[in-house]
C-alpha cells in the first residue's frame, strides 16, 4: 500500500482541527447548565468524533493506494461516522459528569468505551471498502491499534475536562491529532492486500466522497467557529454588564 506523502499531513491537520473545536466546545459545556450544556456536549462529540476522528480517517483513506481502484459502501461509511460521534458523546458524558468525587473511574470508563468505539469505527470504515482484492489483518497489530485507541481516547477526554485557554487548547489539539492519526496508521499497518488482477475494475466514487468531506467539514467548522465567537462575545458582554451594575450600586448614595 502507498499512503502518499502529503495525505498523512492533511489527515493530521483535520484531526487537530476537529480536536481543537471539540476542546473549545467542551470548555463551554463545563461552564454551561441545562439545555445549553447538552448542546455544547453534542457539538463537542460531533467535532471530535465526526470531524477529528471520522473525517481524519477518510481523508487518510482517500490518499491511500491499495493497488486497485477503491469504492466505498455509503451506508456502512455513514454508520462508521455515527459510531464515532456516539462513542465520543458517551465518553464526554462520563468524563464531564458533575458532583463526582471519584474523578478517575469515570475518565477510565469513558476512555475505554470511547477507545473501543473509535477502533470499531476504524474497522467498520475499513469494511466499507469495495475492492477486487483479498484483505487480511495481523491480529497482534490490530490489538496494538485498539490499545492505542483506548489510550488516545482517555487522553482526549482528560483534555476535554482539564484544558482551557487558547494556547492550552492548541497544544492539546496537536497531541490529540497525533494520537488519533497514530491509531489510524497503526491499524492500516495491520492490513495486507492481495489484488486480484483478473477481476473487473470497480467504479471509483472517491471524488464524490472527497467533495462531501471538504464541503461538509468546512461548513461545520465555520458554523462552530461562529458559535464559539458569538457565545464568547455574549459572555464577555454579560460580565461587563454585571461589573457595571456592581460599580453603579457602590456609587449610589
Amino acid at each position: 500500500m502507498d499512503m502518499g506523502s502529503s495525505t498523512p499531513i492533511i489527515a493530521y491537520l483535520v484531526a487537530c482541527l476537529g480536536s481543537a473545536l471539540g476542546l473549545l466546545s467542551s470548555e463551554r459545556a463545563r461552564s454551561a447548565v441545562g439545555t445549553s450544556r447538552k448542546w455544547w456536549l453534542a457539538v463537542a462529540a460531533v467535532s471530535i468524533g465526526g470531524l477529528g476522528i471520522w473525517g481524519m480517517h477518510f481523508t487518510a483513506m482517500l490518499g491511500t493506494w491499495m493497488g486497485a481502484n477503491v469504492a466505498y459502501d455509503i451506508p456502512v461509511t455513514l454508520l462508521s461516522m455515527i459510531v464515532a460521534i456516539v462513542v465520543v458523546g458517551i465518553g464526554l458524558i462520563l468524563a464531564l459528569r458533575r458532583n463526582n468525587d471519584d474523578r478517575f473511574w469515570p475518565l477510565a470508563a469513558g476512555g475505554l468505551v470511547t477507545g473501543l468505539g473509535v477502533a470499531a469505527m476504524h474497522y467498520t470504515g475499513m469494511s466499507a471498502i469495495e475492492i477486487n482484492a483479498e484483505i487480511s489483518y495481523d491480529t497482534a497489530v490490530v490489538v496494538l491499534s485498539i490499545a492505542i485507541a483506548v489510550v488516545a481516547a482517555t487522553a482526549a477526554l482528560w483534555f476535554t475536562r482539564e484544558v482551557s485557554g487558547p494556547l492550552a487548547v492548541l497544544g492539546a489539539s496537536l497531541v490529540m491529532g497525533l494520537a488519533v492519526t497514530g491509531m489510524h496508521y497503526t491499524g492500516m499497518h495491520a492490513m495486507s492486500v492481495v489484488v486480484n488482477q483478473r477481476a473487473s475494475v470497480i467504479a471509483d466514487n472517491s471524488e464524490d466522497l472527497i467533495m462531501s468531506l471538504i464541503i461538509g467539514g468546512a461548513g461545520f467548522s465555520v458554523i462552530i467557529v461562529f458559535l464559539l465567537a458569538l457565545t464568547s462575545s455574549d459572555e464577555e458582554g454579560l460580565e461587563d454588564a454585571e461589573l457595571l451594575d456592581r460599580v453603579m450600586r457602590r456609587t449610589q448614595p
Side-chain angles (χ1 to χ4, degrees), residues 123 136-145 186-192:
Y123 291 106
S136 60
Y137 290 92
D138 184 322
T139 303
V141 182
V142 169
V143 172
L144 175 61
S145 71
T186 301
M188 290 298 295
H189 184 67
M191 185 173 67
S192 297

Side-chain angles (χ1 to χ4, degrees), residues 239-250:
E239 291 176 357
D240 292 341
E242 291 176 348
L243 178 60
L244 179 61
D245 181 63
R246 287 197 297 267
V247 172
M248 292 297 293
R249 289 181 180 179
R250 291 178 181 177

Side-chain angles (χ1 to χ4, degrees), residues 43-231:
V43 170
V46 175
S47 298
I48 297 174
L51 180 60
I53 297 174
W54 184 84
M56 175 281 306
H57 172 89
F58 280 97
T59 299
M61 287 304 302
L62 292 173
T64 301
W65 173 247
M66 299 184 181
N69 282 1
V70 172
Y72 292 91
D73 185 317
I74 300 302
V76 178
T77 300
L78 294 177
L79 174 62
S80 67
M81 177 181 65
I82 294 171
V83 169
I85 294 173
V86 169
V87 296
V88 170
I90 294 173
L92 287 170
I93 291 172
L94 290 172
L96 298 179
R97 288 178 61 187
R98 289 173 173 170
N99 300 323
N100 195 345
D101 295 333
D102 188 353
R103 295 175 62 83
F104 172 75
W105 289 110
L107 177 63
L112 179 62
V113 170
T114 304
L116 293 177
V118 168
M121 180 283 304
H122 175 85
Y123 291 106
T124 300
M126 296 304 296
S127 70
I129 293 175
E130 296 178 348
I131 184 174
N132 290 323
E134 180 180 346
I135 298 177
S136 60
Y137 290 92
D138 184 322
T139 303
V141 182
V142 169
V143 172
L144 175 61
S145 71
I146 295 173
I148 293 174
V150 172
V151 173
T154 304
L157 292 177
W158 184 86
F159 283 133
T160 63
R161 196 173 67 180
E162 303 294 339
V163 169
S164 61
L167 291 179
V169 166
L170 175 61
S173 64
L174 295 177
V175 175
M176 287 171 64
L178 183 63
V180 170
T181 51
M183 179 271 159
H184 170 81
Y185 284 106
T186 301
M188 290 298 295
H189 184 67
M191 185 173 67
S192 297
V193 179
V194 179
V195 177
N196 182 358
Q197 300 293 350
R198 297 182 179 180
S200 58
V201 176
I202 292 178
D204 186 6
N205 65 355
S206 296
E207 291 185 1
D208 293 339
L209 196 56
I210 288 174
M211 290 304 299
S212 298
L213 282 172
I214 293 174
I215 295 173
F220 175 79
S221 300
V222 169
I223 291 172
I224 299 309
V225 169
F226 176 76
L227 288 175
L228 289 167
L230 183 63
T231 54

Side-chain angles (χ1 to χ4, degrees), residues 24-25 27-29 31-32 36 40 165-166 223-241:
L24 291 171
S25 301
E27 186 178 358
R28 294 288 191 278
S31 60
S36 178
W40 279 118
I223 291 172
I224 299 309
V225 169
F226 176 76
L227 288 175
L228 289 167
L230 183 63
T231 54
S232 177
S233 298
D234 290 344
E235 289 172 358
E236 290 174 0
L238 181 59
E239 291 176 357
D240 292 341

